[in-house]
Amino acid sequence: MGIRNIAMSLHTDRKYPLLLHSGERQVRGDSASLPAPLNYYPSLKEKTMRILLINAPLQSIVCDRGVGHQVPLGLLMIGGPLRDCGHTVRLLDAACDHLSDADIVYAVGIFSADLVMIAHVGSTSAHPCCLRVLRAIKVAYPRTITVYGGVHPTYHDRTILAQHPEVDVIVRGEGEETVTALVDLLAQQASQPDQNWNLSSLPGVSWRKQGEAVRTPARVPIRDLDRYRIGWELILDWDKYQAFGLGRAAVVQFSRGCPHLCTYCGQWMFWKRWRHREVKTFVDELAWLYETHDIRFFWLADENPTTLKDIWQRVLEELAQRKLPIGLCASIRAQDIVRDADILHLYKQAGFLYVLMGVETVTDETMSKIRKDSCVDDAYQAVRLLRQHQILSIVDYIFGLEDETPGTIWRGLRGLHRYDGDFLNALYLTPHAWTPLGQHLRDAPVHEADLWRWDYRHQILSLPALSPTKLFFCVKMVECLYHLHPRRLWRLLTATDPRIRRLLRWSFWHIIVTFWSEIFDFLARTS
Ligand code: B12
Ligand code: SF4
């Protein structure tokens, strides 16, 4: 969608005098200039705000060439409650629409936003880009309030506020309860001189008070996840969000949190404890999305949806009973697949097409070192069980969990062949500071300091035995030998289920495209 069409969709429900400057700024090559500085907080007479939710314009090969762009669920989850409080809310998906900073600033002006809220699912890698966008907005509209949320700012709030005046408020942890109360407080205090707000009654926020970064205690986890509505209506064009060549796709979430404590992962800490939605309400929502918006594929955003077998079985049964023509994909622990051997037929009936398993390594020793709470044999069995039920398995593997040498990489490839998952998702160790592993490695030599590349697809830490170029080509070699293994090629040609055959081919083709895009990207960076 061009910025002009987006502007039209933003500039809808309230007439305000759109005074154009005499062209200091170009928007995408046409001569339109920025809307005039805002008539600040015009909506405050009704104690409501005009809020623009911005999915930051992070460009990643994974979305552009691989799985496709997906709906920004986190923003929709805060957008719903904000709309229900009477605020005027719009979503600007700058990642999917490939918007420039100038486009975004223009949209802020056109919408006459009192407040912008920004985030991105690849939170750490999007951090530099979120700051850049907020800076551009503040230059054009200094009094537009900027709120930043998601995983990365949750853990780096003080540093961000100390170093980046373009960020006014950070919401830490889950957003629904906090944003609604925050916007109420800001609506009361917005026009205060110097934006010297008092937010101390509100848990889960960080902001600046007399120039100093301050924070309130963390908010307790939301007990009833069905209490807040997801703002699905903020998606105006569902065709933009597709996955695996199956048509329109949505990201949904049944549960939050994880009872495991893997050392490289911070998600168990972020959501604090495992909770789930009411089974029927959740399945009703999927059915509604299918019936109303023709959504054919659902990604589960859950860390660990299978935590309690009986609850998970009810979800599968409810889905199976509805017989919706949908496909599903979720991250599920290999151990839970083995545990669920007797109900895997329900996975298939519910619509499961892909299961992503974060097995990360091929040795039991490394599994216990990273507190994976699982073993190599679980992964081996899980792949076979899924295959028996015609469900595709994607196996995550992390390079850098040990001091890699050509020998460890070769051993990894052999172990991965033994697992024999349908696809390999090769990742690099990314030591997020808030994780136990990140703490442990805080003095380790960093090869890539630019957070933009902290997306698991780039090498972050230096390795004593392998140069970055050698490691990169070793990883590419593993990906290549893995996917070109005769067993996998044979399946590609002979899979009996036509839907699975189509998916195998679709995924294989996109793996090739991503593979070469990453090689070109690497060569362009290093040459
Ligand atoms: C589904 C998913 C994907 C899907 C779909 C992405 C999409 N557009 O939704 C795909 C496969 C495409 C994907 C890709 C990537 N992902 Co991903 N993904 C997830 C997953 C499993 C769920 C995301 C989600 O929807 N969560 C549910 C929502 C509700 O949670 P949330 O976004 O955190 O939002 C809540 C709060 O954070 C807060 N909040 C969020 N935003 C905002 C904004 C404001 C202003 C406020 C106030 C509050 C607020 O309120 C929300 C509701 O409580 C998570 C793990 C997880 N379970 O969260 C990883 C995860 C988010 N992904 C991650 C990464 C790294 C990536 C990639 C960079 C990987 C890659 N190599 O390319 C890419 C980036 C994609 C891109 N360019 O768009 C990491 C991020 C880690 C980090 N610190 O950066 C995670 C946490 C996985 C992990 N365990 O490390 N991902
Ligand atoms: S099982 Fe998955 S979500 Fe849970 S702590 Fe380990 S890596 Fe994180």
Side-chain angles (χ1 to χ4, degrees), residues 144-181:
T144 296
I145 301 170
T146 54
V147 179
Y148 185 19
V151 177
H152 188 86
T154 291
Y155 293 104
H156 291 278
D157 56 325
R158 287 186 221 256
T159 328
I160 296 171
L161 287 166
Q163 295 172 359
H164 299 282
E166 60 273 23
V167 181
D168 289 329
V169 183
I170 288 176
V171 170
R172 306 192 321 275
E174 51 195 350
E176 295 87 337
E177 251 171 11
T178 313
V179 285
T180 45

mmCIF file of all heavy atoms in Angstrom, residues 144-181:
data_model
loop_
_atom_site.group_PDB
_atom_site.id
_atom_site.type_symbol
_atom_site.label_atom_id
_atom_site.label_comp_id
_atom_site.label_asym_id
_atom_site.label_seq_id
_atom_site.Cartn_x
_atom_site.Cartn_y
_atom_site.Cartn_z
ATOM 1 N N THR A 144 4.442 15.278 20.310
ATOM 2 C CA THR A 144 3.754 13.987 20.199
ATOM 3 C C THR A 144 4.396 13.049 21.223
ATOM 4 O O THR A 144 5.623 12.907 21.265
ATOM 5 C CB THR A 144 3.919 13.408 18.778
ATOM 6 O OG1 THR A 144 3.267 14.287 17.880
ATOM 7 C CG2 THR A 144 3.303 12.026 18.666
ATOM 8 N N ILE A 145 3.572 12.436 22.034
ATOM 9 C CA ILE A 145 4.125 11.578 23.096
ATOM 10 C C ILE A 145 4.553 10.248 22.485
ATOM 11 O O ILE A 145 3.826 9.657 21.687
ATOM 12 C CB ILE A 145 3.069 11.346 24.200
ATOM 13 C CG1 ILE A 145 2.642 12.688 24.786
ATOM 14 C CG2 ILE A 145 3.606 10.426 25.285
ATOM 15 C CD1 ILE A 145 1.440 12.597 25.714
ATOM 16 N N THR A 146 5.750 9.773 22.874
ATOM 17 C CA THR A 146 6.255 8.528 22.303
ATOM 18 C C THR A 146 6.327 7.445 23.381
ATOM 19 O O THR A 146 6.927 7.646 24.438
ATOM 20 C CB THR A 146 7.653 8.738 21.696
ATOM 21 O OG1 THR A 146 8.501 9.301 22.696
ATOM 22 C CG2 THR A 146 7.612 9.680 20.501
ATOM 23 N N VAL A 147 5.697 6.317 23.087
ATOM 24 C CA VAL A 147 5.689 5.191 24.032
ATOM 25 C C VAL A 147 6.294 3.984 23.326
ATOM 26 O O VAL A 147 5.953 3.684 22.183
ATOM 27 C CB VAL A 147 4.239 4.875 24.492
ATOM 28 C CG1 VAL A 147 4.230 3.682 25.448
ATOM 29 C CG2 VAL A 147 3.622 6.090 25.173
ATOM 30 N N TYR A 148 7.181 3.308 24.015
ATOM 31 C CA TYR A 148 7.944 2.206 23.421
ATOM 32 C C TYR A 148 7.714 0.961 24.279
ATOM 33 O O TYR A 148 7.748 1.034 25.514
ATOM 34 C CB TYR A 148 9.420 2.630 23.420
ATOM 35 C CG TYR A 148 10.416 1.707 22.751
ATOM 36 C CD1 TYR A 148 10.040 0.740 21.825
ATOM 37 C CD2 TYR A 148 11.779 1.832 23.049
ATOM 38 C CE1 TYR A 148 10.991 -0.068 21.215
ATOM 39 C CE2 TYR A 148 12.731 1.027 22.437
ATOM 40 C CZ TYR A 148 12.329 0.072 21.536
ATOM 41 O OH TYR A 148 13.259 -0.732 20.937
ATOM 42 N N GLY A 149 7.451 -0.186 23.622
ATOM 43 C CA GLY A 149 7.198 -1.402 24.407
ATOM 44 C C GLY A 149 7.762 -2.634 23.738
ATOM 45 O O GLY A 149 8.295 -2.578 22.637
ATOM 46 N N GLY A 150 7.633 -3.771 24.415
ATOM 47 C CA GLY A 150 8.123 -5.043 23.886
ATOM 48 C C GLY A 150 9.258 -5.598 24.740
ATOM 49 O O GLY A 150 9.582 -5.056 25.806
ATOM 50 N N VAL A 151 9.879 -6.667 24.260
ATOM 51 C CA VAL A 151 10.853 -7.398 25.077
ATOM 52 C C VAL A 151 12.114 -6.561 25.361
ATOM 53 O O VAL A 151 12.510 -6.399 26.526
ATOM 54 C CB VAL A 151 11.262 -8.716 24.365
ATOM 55 C CG1 VAL A 151 12.322 -9.462 25.158
ATOM 56 C CG2 VAL A 151 10.044 -9.605 24.140
ATOM 57 N N HIS A 152 12.731 -6.035 24.312
ATOM 58 C CA HIS A 152 14.020 -5.354 24.497
ATOM 59 C C HIS A 152 13.917 -4.136 25.423
ATOM 60 O O HIS A 152 14.676 -4.044 26.395
ATOM 61 C CB HIS A 152 14.612 -4.978 23.131
ATOM 62 C CG HIS A 152 16.000 -4.464 23.229
ATOM 63 N ND1 HIS A 152 17.107 -5.282 23.247
ATOM 64 C CD2 HIS A 152 16.470 -3.193 23.362
ATOM 65 C CE1 HIS A 152 18.192 -4.540 23.369
ATOM 66 N NE2 HIS A 152 17.828 -3.272 23.437
ATOM 67 N N PRO A 153 12.987 -3.203 25.171
ATOM 68 C CA PRO A 153 12.917 -2.042 26.073
ATOM 69 C C PRO A 153 12.530 -2.425 27.504
ATOM 70 O O PRO A 153 12.874 -1.706 28.454
ATOM 71 C CB PRO A 153 11.853 -1.146 25.433
ATOM 72 C CG PRO A 153 11.142 -1.985 24.440
ATOM 73 C CD PRO A 153 12.073 -3.058 24.029
ATOM 74 N N THR A 154 11.835 -3.544 27.661
ATOM 75 C CA THR A 154 11.468 -3.983 29.017
ATOM 76 C C THR A 154 12.723 -4.154 29.872
ATOM 77 O O THR A 154 12.736 -3.822 31.057
ATOM 78 C CB THR A 154 10.690 -5.315 28.942
ATOM 79 O OG1 THR A 154 9.430 -5.051 28.345
ATOM 80 C CG2 THR A 154 10.487 -5.941 30.310
ATOM 81 N N TYR A 155 13.784 -4.675 29.246
ATOM 82 C CA TYR A 155 14.991 -4.970 30.028
ATOM 83 C C TYR A 155 16.042 -3.863 29.964
ATOM 84 O O TYR A 155 17.027 -3.918 30.688
ATOM 85 C CB TYR A 155 15.600 -6.290 29.550
ATOM 86 C CG TYR A 155 14.704 -7.452 29.874
ATOM 87 C CD1 TYR A 155 13.938 -8.073 28.892
ATOM 88 C CD2 TYR A 155 14.585 -7.912 31.182
ATOM 89 C CE1 TYR A 155 13.097 -9.119 29.198
ATOM 90 C CE2 TYR A 155 13.746 -8.961 31.502
ATOM 91 C CZ TYR A 155 13.005 -9.560 30.507
ATOM 92 O OH TYR A 155 12.167 -10.591 30.815
ATOM 93 N N HIS A 156 15.866 -2.899 29.056
ATOM 94 C CA HIS A 156 16.889 -1.848 28.917
ATOM 95 C C HIS A 156 16.286 -0.472 29.144
ATOM 96 O O HIS A 156 16.771 0.518 28.587
ATOM 97 C CB HIS A 156 17.525 -1.921 27.522
ATOM 98 C CG HIS A 156 18.382 -3.137 27.326
ATOM 99 N ND1 HIS A 156 19.678 -3.214 27.754
ATOM 100 C CD2 HIS A 156 18.111 -4.338 26.777
ATOM 101 C CE1 HIS A 156 20.183 -4.403 27.460
ATOM 102 N NE2 HIS A 156 19.243 -5.110 26.869
ATOM 103 N N ASP A 157 15.235 -0.404 29.930
ATOM 104 C CA ASP A 157 14.488 0.850 30.067
ATOM 105 C C ASP A 157 15.344 2.013 30.550
ATOM 106 O O ASP A 157 15.327 3.103 29.978
ATOM 107 C CB ASP A 157 13.267 0.648 30.980
ATOM 108 C CG ASP A 157 13.651 0.099 32.343
ATOM 109 O OD1 ASP A 157 14.604 -0.705 32.414
ATOM 110 O OD2 ASP A 157 13.012 0.467 33.348
ATOM 111 N N ARG A 158 16.127 1.770 31.606
ATOM 112 C CA ARG A 158 16.892 2.898 32.191
ATOM 113 C C ARG A 158 17.899 3.465 31.192
ATOM 114 O O ARG A 158 18.006 4.676 31.026
ATOM 115 C CB ARG A 158 17.634 2.420 33.433
ATOM 116 C CG ARG A 158 16.728 2.184 34.618
ATOM 117 C CD ARG A 158 17.597 1.859 35.806
ATOM 118 N NE ARG A 158 17.033 0.798 36.603
ATOM 119 C CZ ARG A 158 16.427 1.001 37.765
ATOM 120 N NH1 ARG A 158 16.294 2.208 38.226
ATOM 121 N NH2 ARG A 158 15.943 -0.014 38.439
ATOM 122 N N THR A 159 18.652 2.552 30.546
ATOM 123 C CA THR A 159 19.664 3.029 29.588
ATOM 124 C C THR A 159 18.994 3.790 28.455
ATOM 125 O O THR A 159 19.473 4.838 28.025
ATOM 126 C CB THR A 159 20.417 1.821 28.978
ATOM 127 O OG1 THR A 159 20.485 0.816 29.952
ATOM 128 C CG2 THR A 159 21.771 2.184 28.452
ATOM 129 N N ILE A 160 17.888 3.243 27.964
ATOM 130 C CA ILE A 160 17.228 3.893 26.827
ATOM 131 C C ILE A 160 16.771 5.300 27.220
ATOM 132 O O ILE A 160 17.016 6.275 26.506
ATOM 133 C CB ILE A 160 16.035 3.047 26.329
ATOM 134 C CG1 ILE A 160 16.516 1.695 25.798
ATOM 135 C CG2 ILE A 160 15.238 3.794 25.255
ATOM 136 C CD1 ILE A 160 15.410 0.699 25.489
ATOM 137 N N LEU A 161 16.128 5.401 28.378
ATOM 138 C CA LEU A 161 15.612 6.716 28.782
ATOM 139 C C LEU A 161 16.747 7.697 29.064
ATOM 140 O O LEU A 161 16.635 8.894 28.786
ATOM 141 C CB LEU A 161 14.709 6.569 30.005
ATOM 142 C CG LEU A 161 13.348 5.926 29.704
ATOM 143 C CD1 LEU A 161 12.648 5.495 30.987
ATOM 144 C CD2 LEU A 161 12.446 6.875 28.913
ATOM 145 N N ALA A 162 17.849 7.167 29.597
ATOM 146 C CA ALA A 162 18.977 8.054 29.905
ATOM 147 C C ALA A 162 19.616 8.587 28.621
ATOM 148 O O ALA A 162 20.102 9.712 28.588
ATOM 149 C CB ALA A 162 20.017 7.306 30.739
ATOM 150 N N GLN A 163 19.619 7.759 27.583
ATOM 151 C CA GLN A 163 20.366 8.158 26.372
ATOM 152 C C GLN A 163 19.494 8.678 25.232
ATOM 153 O O GLN A 163 20.018 9.217 24.266
ATOM 154 C CB GLN A 163 21.170 6.953 25.866
ATOM 155 C CG GLN A 163 22.244 6.523 26.854
ATOM 156 C CD GLN A 163 22.911 5.218 26.468
ATOM 157 O OE1 GLN A 163 22.562 4.621 25.464
ATOM 158 N NE2 GLN A 163 23.848 4.777 27.280
ATOM 159 N N HIS A 164 18.177 8.464 25.324
ATOM 160 C CA HIS A 164 17.350 8.775 24.151
ATOM 161 C C HIS A 164 16.135 9.629 24.508
ATOM 162 O O HIS A 164 15.064 9.109 24.819
ATOM 163 C CB HIS A 164 16.919 7.465 23.469
ATOM 164 C CG HIS A 164 18.085 6.686 22.991
ATOM 165 N ND1 HIS A 164 18.762 7.006 21.847
ATOM 166 C CD2 HIS A 164 18.731 5.629 23.532
ATOM 167 C CE1 HIS A 164 19.778 6.170 21.694
ATOM 168 N NE2 HIS A 164 19.786 5.319 22.705
ATOM 169 N N PRO A 165 16.304 10.948 24.408
ATOM 170 C CA PRO A 165 15.195 11.842 24.760
ATOM 171 C C PRO A 165 13.982 11.660 23.850
ATOM 172 O O PRO A 165 12.891 12.111 24.190
ATOM 173 C CB PRO A 165 15.801 13.238 24.570
ATOM 174 C CG PRO A 165 17.053 13.041 23.788
ATOM 175 C CD PRO A 165 17.517 11.651 24.014
ATOM 176 N N GLU A 166 14.173 10.976 22.715
ATOM 177 C CA GLU A 166 13.029 10.761 21.810
ATOM 178 C C GLU A 166 12.029 9.757 22.383
ATOM 179 O O GLU A 166 10.920 9.634 21.885
ATOM 180 C CB GLU A 166 13.506 10.314 20.415
ATOM 181 C CG GLU A 166 14.292 9.020 20.349
ATOM 182 C CD GLU A 166 15.805 9.206 20.568
ATOM 183 O OE1 GLU A 166 16.189 10.219 21.192
ATOM 184 O OE2 GLU A 166 16.576 8.336 20.138
ATOM 185 N N VAL A 167 12.437 9.019 23.429
ATOM 186 C CA VAL A 167 11.502 8.073 24.065
ATOM 187 C C VAL A 167 10.952 8.727 25.318
ATOM 188 O O VAL A 167 11.708 9.098 26.218
ATOM 189 C CB VAL A 167 12.222 6.747 24.438
ATOM 190 C CG1 VAL A 167 11.251 5.764 25.079
ATOM 191 C CG2 VAL A 167 12.902 6.135 23.220
ATOM 192 N N ASP A 168 9.633 8.870 25.389
ATOM 193 C CA ASP A 168 9.039 9.489 26.580
ATOM 194 C C ASP A 168 8.723 8.457 27.659
ATOM 195 O O ASP A 168 9.005 8.658 28.827
ATOM 196 C CB ASP A 168 7.742 10.223 26.206
ATOM 197 C CG ASP A 168 8.018 11.482 25.392
ATOM 198 O OD1 ASP A 168 9.088 12.090 25.604
ATOM 199 O OD2 ASP A 168 7.187 11.830 24.538
ATOM 200 N N VAL A 169 8.080 7.363 27.247
ATOM 201 C CA VAL A 169 7.663 6.368 28.247
ATOM 202 C C VAL A 169 7.967 4.974 27.712
ATOM 203 O O VAL A 169 7.798 4.707 26.522
ATOM 204 C CB VAL A 169 6.132 6.461 28.519
ATOM 205 C CG1 VAL A 169 5.713 5.473 29.613
ATOM 206 C CG2 VAL A 169 5.715 7.862 28.906
ATOM 207 N N ILE A 170 8.395 4.076 28.597
ATOM 208 C CA ILE A 170 8.568 2.669 28.227
ATOM 209 C C ILE A 170 7.581 1.849 29.045
ATOM 210 O O ILE A 170 7.467 2.034 30.265
ATOM 211 C CB ILE A 170 10.023 2.215 28.486
ATOM 212 C CG1 ILE A 170 10.939 2.854 27.439
ATOM 213 C CG2 ILE A 170 10.138 0.687 28.455
ATOM 214 C CD1 ILE A 170 12.403 2.574 27.615
ATOM 215 N N VAL A 171 6.868 0.969 28.351
ATOM 216 C CA VAL A 171 5.970 0.048 29.054
ATOM 217 C C VAL A 171 6.710 -1.271 29.175
ATOM 218 O O VAL A 171 7.157 -1.833 28.181
ATOM 219 C CB VAL A 171 4.652 -0.132 28.271
ATOM 220 C CG1 VAL A 171 3.818 -1.275 28.853
ATOM 221 C CG2 VAL A 171 3.855 1.166 28.297
ATOM 222 N N ARG A 172 6.869 -1.741 30.405
ATOM 223 C CA ARG A 172 7.614 -2.980 30.617
ATOM 224 C C ARG A 172 6.650 -4.159 30.765
ATOM 225 O O ARG A 172 5.619 -4.054 31.428
ATOM 226 C CB ARG A 172 8.506 -2.864 31.862
ATOM 227 C CG ARG A 172 9.432 -1.649 31.811
ATOM 228 C CD ARG A 172 10.506 -1.695 32.881
ATOM 229 N NE ARG A 172 10.065 -2.203 34.153
ATOM 230 C CZ ARG A 172 9.490 -1.489 35.099
ATOM 231 N NH1 ARG A 172 9.277 -0.186 34.917
ATOM 232 N NH2 ARG A 172 9.119 -2.047 36.239
ATOM 233 N N GLY A 173 7.010 -5.260 30.096
ATOM 234 C CA GLY A 173 6.197 -6.469 30.216
ATOM 235 C C GLY A 173 4.935 -6.391 29.388
ATOM 236 O O GLY A 173 4.840 -5.612 28.430
ATOM 237 N N GLU A 174 3.935 -7.192 29.774
ATOM 238 C CA GLU A 174 2.729 -7.244 28.943
ATOM 239 C C GLU A 174 1.995 -5.905 29.003
ATOM 240 O O GLU A 174 1.953 -5.236 30.025
ATOM 241 C CB GLU A 174 1.838 -8.434 29.304
ATOM 242 C CG GLU A 174 1.509 -8.584 30.737
ATOM 243 C CD GLU A 174 0.945 -9.968 31.065
ATOM 244 O OE1 GLU A 174 0.629 -10.760 30.169
ATOM 245 O OE2 GLU A 174 0.809 -10.243 32.273
ATOM 246 N N GLY A 175 1.389 -5.563 27.835
ATOM 247 C CA GLY A 175 0.969 -4.180 27.676
ATOM 248 C C GLY A 175 -0.475 -3.839 27.988
ATOM 249 O O GLY A 175 -0.783 -2.686 28.314
ATOM 250 N N GLU A 176 -1.400 -4.802 27.894
ATOM 251 C CA GLU A 176 -2.829 -4.462 27.870
ATOM 252 C C GLU A 176 -3.278 -3.601 29.048
ATOM 253 O O GLU A 176 -3.866 -2.531 28.854
ATOM 254 C CB GLU A 176 -3.689 -5.735 27.855
ATOM 255 C CG GLU A 176 -3.546 -6.590 26.623
ATOM 256 C CD GLU A 176 -2.417 -7.611 26.688
ATOM 257 O OE1 GLU A 176 -1.466 -7.401 27.469
ATOM 258 O OE2 GLU A 176 -2.475 -8.610 25.959
ATOM 259 N N GLU A 177 -3.002 -4.074 30.260
ATOM 260 C CA GLU A 177 -3.485 -3.351 31.437
ATOM 261 C C GLU A 177 -2.770 -2.009 31.580
ATOM 262 O O GLU A 177 -3.366 -0.993 31.926
ATOM 263 C CB GLU A 177 -3.224 -4.185 32.697
ATOM 264 C CG GLU A 177 -4.490 -4.729 33.280
ATOM 265 C CD GLU A 177 -4.239 -5.740 34.395
ATOM 266 O OE1 GLU A 177 -3.100 -5.879 34.875
ATOM 267 O OE2 GLU A 177 -5.215 -6.411 34.765
ATOM 268 N N THR A 178 -1.456 -2.045 31.285
ATOM 269 C CA THR A 178 -0.656 -0.837 31.511
ATOM 270 C C THR A 178 -1.044 0.291 30.554
ATOM 271 O O THR A 178 -1.209 1.432 30.987
ATOM 272 C CB THR A 178 0.854 -1.154 31.362
ATOM 273 O OG1 THR A 178 1.130 -2.320 32.093
ATOM 274 C CG2 THR A 178 1.709 -0.014 31.851
ATOM 275 N N VAL A 179 -1.203 -0.046 29.245
ATOM 276 C CA VAL A 179 -1.423 1.063 28.300
ATOM 277 C C VAL A 179 -2.724 1.804 28.550
ATOM 278 O O VAL A 179 -2.776 3.031 28.420
ATOM 279 C CB VAL A 179 -1.376 0.638 26.810
ATOM 280 C CG1 VAL A 179 0.031 0.394 26.351
ATOM 281 C CG2 VAL A 179 -2.290 -0.502 26.493
ATOM 282 N N THR A 180 -3.762 1.058 28.924
ATOM 283 C CA THR A 180 -5.038 1.744 29.099
ATOM 284 C C THR A 180 -4.948 2.744 30.260
ATOM 285 O O THR A 180 -5.361 3.899 30.139
ATOM 286 C CB THR A 180 -6.180 0.731 29.334
ATOM 287 O OG1 THR A 180 -5.745 -0.233 30.281
ATOM 288 C CG2 THR A 180 -6.599 0.050 28.060
ATOM 289 N N ALA A 181 -4.338 2.291 31.368
ATOM 290 C CA ALA A 181 -4.192 3.198 32.514
ATOM 291 C C ALA A 181 -3.210 4.323 32.181
ATOM 292 O O ALA A 181 -3.407 5.474 32.582
ATOM 293 C CB ALA A 181 -3.714 2.419 33.727
#
